[in-house]
Amino acid sequence: MIKRVDNSILEVHDLTVSYHNKPVLWNIDFDLPSGIVAGIIGPNGAGKSTLIKSIMGLISPDQGYTKIFGQPLNEIRSRVSYVPQRESVDWDFPASAMDVVLMGRYSERGFWGRYNDEDRKIAKQSLEQVDMLPFANRQISQLSGGQQQRVFLARALAQQADIYFMDEPFAGVDAATEASILNLLREMSHSGKTMIVVHHDLQSAYDYFDWMILLNRRLIAVGPKADVFTDELIQETYGGNLSILATLGNIMQQKDYPK
Amino acid sequence: MLRSFIEFFSFSDPNVVYVVVGTLLIGASSSIVGCFTVLRKRSLVGDAIAHAVLPGVCLAFLLHGEKDPLILLLGAFISGWISIIVIDLIVENTRIKTDAALGIVLSVFFGLGILLLTHIQKTGNASQSGLDSFLFGKAASIVGADLYTFGAVAVLLMVAVFAFFREFTLISFDPNYAQSIGMPVKWYQLVLSSLTVLAVTVGIQAVGVVLMAALLITPAVAARFWTHRLWLMIVLAALIGAIANVSGAFISYAAPRMPTGPWIIVVLTFLAMFSMFFAPQRGFLSKWRKARSSKARIFEENVLKLLYQLEEKDGNKKVDRSIQEMLKRRDWKHSEVKAALKRLDRRALVTGQSENWRLSQEGRMEGQRIVRIHRLWELYLTTVMKVAPDHVHETAEVMEHIINPPLEKKLMRLLNKPERDPHDSPIPYAEDDI
């Protein structure tokens, strides 16, 4: 079940991605409309993070391409924002919440510019949007896991992009953070922004998202949740129907198969 | 000693000025670059580079035939650079992990350097004397033209870190994000690596290749104890590095046979240890003090709880309890109970004197609060978490000191303001008649 969209804003075309010669994503091909909250859903090791990392150009694919607003990423980077996994950085880094959020303004200012009052204002608004303004000057290592996640979201918001890719923002957060992120996703999508969120928890997925991308190394389904969230498709995503792909990947890794 | 101190710091000898300015700049600039090395968790790379510059220095001397500082610096820079590339190549193309690759590069390059150095010393070339000071450093040998070379490199390093401050911060904290916003992360990493090599090549003038890693890393580590702000950390690291280097230079001036490097490292280590123990918040002393004061608070709360339980048992609020009576119920020391009671007296939570005490109204409220939380938590464990009633006491002993008023209220609401705990003791509430 792969729903085609007329005026898509994200086009992923026949994407195949490998780590150390071992393919982890096979021929992923889909598009998404604007103004939705889309969840990328699948079990551990399904390649969910890999998918958004390759869309963001952090991993180069073996084949295929991605277009955002009909253009390659490099042309429209300022309209795209990325929230890495919280665990991917060392939170003992000497910085305040405000310092981290200001990093979201870097692309606007560039090498020759400096952060100015407008940047600080936008950073404060972004912190406010995730209920973190009271903690603006707090050292990031002194924040709870959920608060750190919200700082990451605020940094992405400070970029004032139109499409947001978030890697597991709900992983291991407290109830307050969960509510705050959900609220944010809804608000942003109502104002026409597109939010694409990697999520591993099937239980909550139906409540969180409008659209779903079911993924397990290959694309199983894309579409509005009512069409996609069926027993059959979920079974296909989470049931082990992948022995051929997994075996093939292992062979390619062992034989140093040329790319 | 005092005479040399006055001689040295009065700067009457122009050579001393060279040495002080030179070591100060070298110390400050290496420490500044070292902050980012530490924050990127590449401390050991600094050590490998430092050892790897030795063959470069020797080869440059062999080819050029003289001890021209600029040529030697160039040789050091090139061989330091090659070592970084070799480390990356090994990690990318083999199964060897980073730590092993660092070990291999460090020992092979350093071994080659020692080999060349021995060879040079045997040739009997008159101008080679002092080349071995690259091993342990000789700050006092910075004279005249050297100063301009090292000074220029040191200033270049400081200016570069200042100019690239936001970029280096971003790629050190979150390289994935930096790449996602289109920053040329690889390029900035290259710049930072080059600056590290450069910092090492000037730093070895002061401390030598063997101890260079300490000059790169120790000031940053020491500075981190004092602040959460990156720019302040960098300023402090520069200061620490500069102080250590100038002290080392002084020692090598006062006692010309002393190698400078080891003395600089001794001073640095002292400053780092000092920071580790005495820095506010992050220092051991402050952590130890915090732990001690919360231990004291917990003990006071336990005393209040016991006094409340004694009242609860015989229903008599108007009688003093002796410390002896308390010790019968608890495995405490007489002296610690007495000290805790005196502290509680100062906070007006108990009244009485020396051996005999009773709760004040405020103390009773507080004791009651602890007992209440203890019993609420036991009930929560048995009813909600289905823990056996004979297993709940120990955790409740801990939780009674941790649960704060909002959590307590939540717990009470969740359990529907219960009357009795799992052991059938009544749960006391504030509005009850006490």
Side-chain angles (χ1 to χ4, degrees):
Chain A
M1 171 37 234
I2 291 166
K3 171 104 177 165
R4 289 292 159 190
V5 194
D6 283 341
N7 33 22
S8 72
I9 56 153
L10 172 69
E11 180 195 356
V12 175
H13 183 91
D14 201 21
L15 204 66
T16 297
V17 187
S18 307
Y19 273 127
H20 306 297
N21 283 333
K22 184 176 181 173
V24 283
L25 287 176
W26 299 77
N27 306 84
I28 309 296
D29 196 293
F30 66 95
D31 1 66
L32 288 182
S34 73
I36 55 165
V37 182
I40 301 178
I41 317 288
N44 282 333
K48 305 182 296 286
S49 296
T50 307
L51 177 59
I52 65 169
K53 277 185 184 164
S54 54
I55 294 172
M56 289 311 300
L58 302 179
I59 307 171
S60 34
D62 299 347
Q63 69 169 50
Y65 61 83
T66 312
K67 281 185 174 175
I68 303 175
F69 301 111
Q71 287 172 300
L73 178 68
N74 272 329
E75 309 289 320
I76 40 93
R77 267 197 206 269
S78 62
R79 297 180 66 189
V80 188
S81 186
Y82 170 60
V83 182
Q85 281 185 24
R86 180 166 61 86
E87 289 86 6
S88 67
V89 305
D90 175 11
W91 290 90
D92 199 31
F93 196 88
S96 66
M98 187 70 180
D99 292 335
V100 174
V101 178
L102 271 176
M103 290 176 186
R105 299 301 302 160
Y106 179 84
S107 44
E108 190 67 24
R109 293 291 155 241
F111 178 73
W112 298 108
R114 287 282 171 264
Y115 301 134
N116 58 28
D117 286 346
E118 193 200 340
D119 296 324
R120 268 176 275 274
K121 204 178 107 196
I122 291 168
K124 275 186 191 160
Q125 284 167 355
S126 306
L127 280 166
E128 176 82 76
Q129 271 180 282
V130 294
D131 307 313
M132 283 294 291
L133 194 54
F135 300 95
N137 294 318
R138 185 76 66 89
Q139 151 73 12
I140 53 174
S141 67
Q142 292 165 349
L143 299 172
S144 73
Q147 291 171 330
Q148 291 171 344
Q149 184 65 59
R150 283 186 269 164
V151 170
F152 255 16
L153 291 174
R155 179 178 66 179
L157 293 175
Q159 272 180 262
Q160 302 187 316
D162 294 317
I163 178 165
Y164 293 80
F165 293 90
M166 304 180 177
D167 204 345
E168 296 272 10
F170 291 105
V173 301
D174 51 290
T177 302
E178 185 185 299
S180 174
I181 299 176
L182 265 183
N183 202 8
L184 178 79
L185 292 177
R186 303 253 156 81
E187 265 175 36
M188 298 291 284
S189 71
H190 284 155
S191 62
K193 315 276 185 186
T194 307
M195 319 299 278
I196 297 156
V197 180
V198 170
H199 192 64
H200 73 284
D201 180 31
L202 199 56
Q203 305 295 326
S204 49
Y206 196 80
D207 299 327
Y208 289 177
F209 307 114
D210 315 326
W211 272 55
M212 285 188 193
I213 298 153
L214 296 184
L215 190 78
N216 193 350
R217 304 209 184 188
R218 67 198 170 88
L219 189 66
I220 284 120
V222 176
K225 62 181 171 188
D227 303 344
V228 169
F229 209 74
T230 64
D231 284 347
E232 196 185 338
L233 290 172
I234 299 285
Q235 175 59 32
E236 213 182 322
T237 313
Y238 282 82
N241 220 346
L242 295 156
S243 50
I244 293 182
L245 290 187
T247 316
L248 235 129
N250 287 336
I251 293 173
M252 287 169 78
Q253 188 181 30
Q254 281 157 15
K255 296 220 162 140
D256 282 339
Y257 190 80
K259 278 190 191 177
Chain B
M1 188 70 184
L2 184 68
R3 220 187 59 196
S4 12
F5 187 84
I6 293 165
E7 233 172 62
F8 186 80
F9 286 103
S10 66
F11 302 117
S12 51
D13 181 349
N15 279 337
V16 169
V17 179
Y18 286 128
V19 171
V20 169
V21 175
T23 50
L24 199 143
L25 284 172
I26 288 171
S29 60
S30 312
S31 312
I32 287 170
V33 176
C35 284
F36 287 101
T37 314
V38 168
L39 290 175
R40 289 175 67 213
K41 310 202 185 326
R42 314 227 339 150
S43 303
L44 282 177
V45 178
D47 198 22
I49 296 172
H51 283 77
V53 299
L54 190 61
V57 172
C58 295
L59 274 176
F61 175 77
L62 278 174
L63 294 175
H64 189 62
E66 275 173 59
K67 261 183 22 197
D68 180 341
L70 206 59
I71 300 290
L72 296 187
L73 266 185
L74 193 69
F77 185 77
I78 292 171
S79 94
W81 238 107
I82 293 173
S83 74
I84 293 188
I85 294 169
V86 173
I87 292 166
D88 284 346
L89 280 179
I90 292 176
V91 173
E92 269 170 36
N93 295 306
T94 68
R95 286 169 166 272
I96 297 170
K97 303 281 178 271
T98 311
D99 59 334
L102 287 171
I104 292 167
V105 168
L106 183 149
S107 42
V108 169
F109 275 67
F110 188 58
L112 192 66
I114 295 289
L115 199 78
L116 290 170
L117 192 63
T118 318
H119 169 72
I120 292 170
Q121 282 168 337
K122 280 192 179 148
T123 59
N125 183 335
S127 61
Q128 60 87 19
S129 73
L131 207 58
D132 57 342
S133 68
F134 276 103
L135 279 182
F136 291 107
K138 191 139 186 73
S141 64
I142 299 176
V143 283
D146 298 5
L147 177 67
Y148 296 109
T149 315
F150 303 136
V153 175
V155 170
L156 173 80
L157 287 174
M158 292 189 226
V159 171
V161 168
F162 183 75
F164 289 100
F165 182 74
R166 291 176 312 150
E167 288 75 15
F168 289 169
T169 309
L170 245 164
I171 64 159
S172 303
F173 174 61
D174 194 351
N176 277 328
Y177 177 77
Q179 202 179 335
S180 85
I181 57 173
M183 281 175 77
V185 174
K186 283 254 149 68
W187 194 82
Y188 284 123
Q189 281 170 347
L190 205 76
V191 174
L192 199 46
S193 296
S194 309
L195 293 181
T196 312
V197 177
L198 215 53
V200 167
T201 54
V202 293
I204 56 172
Q205 295 301 317
V207 295
V209 296
V210 180
L211 297 170
M212 181 55 215
L215 183 57
L216 207 59
I217 297 158
T218 318
V221 172
R224 184 66 183 94
F225 278 102
W226 298 93
T227 178
H228 290 315
R229 259 172 263 164
L230 181 54
W231 66 266
L232 194 58
M233 171 182 163
I234 290 174
V235 170
L236 286 176
L239 211 67
I240 292 169
I243 291 172
N245 268 20
V246 174
S247 324
F250 165 68
I251 290 162
S252 113
Y253 172 85
R257 285 171 174 277
M258 285 280 189
T260 328
W263 277 107
I264 291 180
I265 303 309
V266 167
V267 177
L268 266 182
T269 309
F270 172 77
L271 292 175
M273 299 285 266
F274 182 83
S275 309
M276 202 193 284
F277 283 103
F278 298 106
Q281 287 178 39
R282 291 199 143 215
F284 286 160
L285 196 68
S286 132
K287 281 195 177 144
W288 175 77
R289 237 197 240 133
K290 260 182 239 159
R292 207 183 61 157
S293 90
S294 72
K295 206 173 151 197
R297 185 185 58 87
I298 288 173
F299 191 79
E300 287 159 24
E301 290 183 355
N302 282 333
V303 171
L304 290 176
K305 183 174 74 167
L306 176 59
L307 286 172
Y308 181 82
Q309 284 168 338
L310 291 172
E311 281 188 358
E312 198 180 42
K313 207 171 166 207
D314 58 18
N316 197 344
K317 296 168 197 163
K318 303 215 178 326
V319 59
D320 285 348
R321 316 279 168 176
S322 72
I323 295 181
Q324 278 312 321
E325 190 184 350
M326 294 183 217
L327 291 183
K328 265 182 230 149
R329 308 272 313 253
R330 292 284 189 278
D331 192 15
W332 290 337
K333 273 190 245 128
H334 186 277
S335 57
E336 61 179 0
V337 179
K338 198 164 181 178
L341 282 165
K342 276 189 181 147
R343 291 199 300 270
L344 288 167
D345 186 22
R346 253 174 283 160
R347 287 163 59 199
L349 294 174
V350 294
T351 58
Q353 51 193 321
S354 82
E355 293 295 308
N356 301 302
W357 301 87
R358 69 175 81 166
L359 290 169
S360 72
Q361 183 60 21
E362 289 75 25
R364 193 166 292 122
M365 299 275 286
E366 185 63 11
Q368 185 202 54
R369 187 182 69 84
I370 315 265
V371 169
R372 179 169 66 241
I373 295 175
H374 182 101
R375 291 177 185 167
L376 279 173
W377 184 252
E378 286 191 339
L379 197 62
Y380 175 79
L381 284 181
T382 52
T383 56
V384 181
M385 293 177 67
K386 311 285 181 215
V387 180
D390 55 336
H391 285 185
V392 295
H393 180 73
E394 272 73 29
T395 37
E397 282 287 289
V398 179
M399 290 307 160
E400 66 191 20
H401 304 294
I402 294 173
I403 289 173
N404 56 15
L407 260 178
E408 182 197 331
K409 221 171 248 166
K410 225 179 207 175
L411 208 55
M412 201 180 77
R413 235 178 289 134
L414 186 83
L415 297 168
N416 247 331
K417 201 176 176 191
E419 298 275 320
R420 295 190 166 262
D421 78 356
H423 311 297
D424 211 31
S425 306
I427 297 176
Y429 293 102
E431 64 269 33
D432 293 0
D433 178 47
I434 47 176

